[in-house]
Amino acid sequence: MTRERPADPVTMKRNAPSEDALALFLYDHPFSPYAQKCKIALHEKGVPFEAGMPNAIGSGQADGAFLAANPRAEVPALVVDGGFTLFDSTIICEFIEERWPDPPLLPSDPFARARARTPTSRTAWGTRPGSR
């Protein structure tokens, strides 16, 4: 379902199983919990996508395609059909949920939804410098 390759979403080919499918490319990094959150959402939904690390990540020398996807030069960034781009893991996951609502990532009950979000907020909180 996921093909890891060097990042080049401009050359993505439309290998969609149906006309309703979109070609997705996720810029990620194996040590980014935010990128992994997006990959988990895509896997849980059964959405096919390609993923790869941007060239020169962390060097301050990010390439043009990656900077076009995310001017902040941070992962994750999602390129949809080679043109539409999103960055920020929460925005990407909301797009995934709204575009592919079944199966839902969160339960319908508001209390259960809040509980399901708790581990995510704890993870984000725990990765900030100086957090305990």
Side-chain angles (χ1 to χ4, degrees):
M1 191 177 295
T2 304
R3 279 187 16 221
E4 301 284 338
R5 64 177 183 85
D8 187 14
V10 175
T11 61
M12 287 190 316
K13 300 292 183 203
R14 195 173 183 121
N15 297 328
S18 72
E19 291 180 329
D20 191 43
L22 299 173
L24 302 176
F25 185 87
L26 181 69
Y27 284 105
D28 75 336
H29 189 281
F31 298 133
S32 168
Y34 306 106
Q36 300 314 308
K37 178 171 87 168
C38 296
K39 288 174 85 170
I40 290 167
L42 288 163
H43 283 300
E44 287 293 318
K45 296 284 189 173
V47 176
F49 68 98
E50 295 182 33
M53 272 194 338
N55 295 326
I57 191 166
S59 70
Q61 304 295 320
D63 67 16
F66 177 50
L67 284 176
N70 185 348
R72 296 186 309 193
E74 298 172 349
V75 295
L78 182 68
V79 180
V80 182
D81 275 344
F84 181 76
T85 61
L86 293 167
F87 56 92
D88 187 275
S89 62
T90 300
I91 295 168
I92 292 169
C93 287
E94 287 175 357
F95 170 78
I96 293 166
E97 180 68 13
E98 291 167 1
R99 177 62 181 82
W100 295 279
D102 292 314
L105 292 174
L106 296 170
S108 59
D109 175 67
F111 294 99
R113 288 173 78 89
R115 185 169 303 281
R117 286 183 177 112
T118 301
T120 302
S121 64
R122 284 185 183 162
T123 300
W125 177 79
T127 59
R128 293 187 183 139
S131 63
R132 296 180 196 189

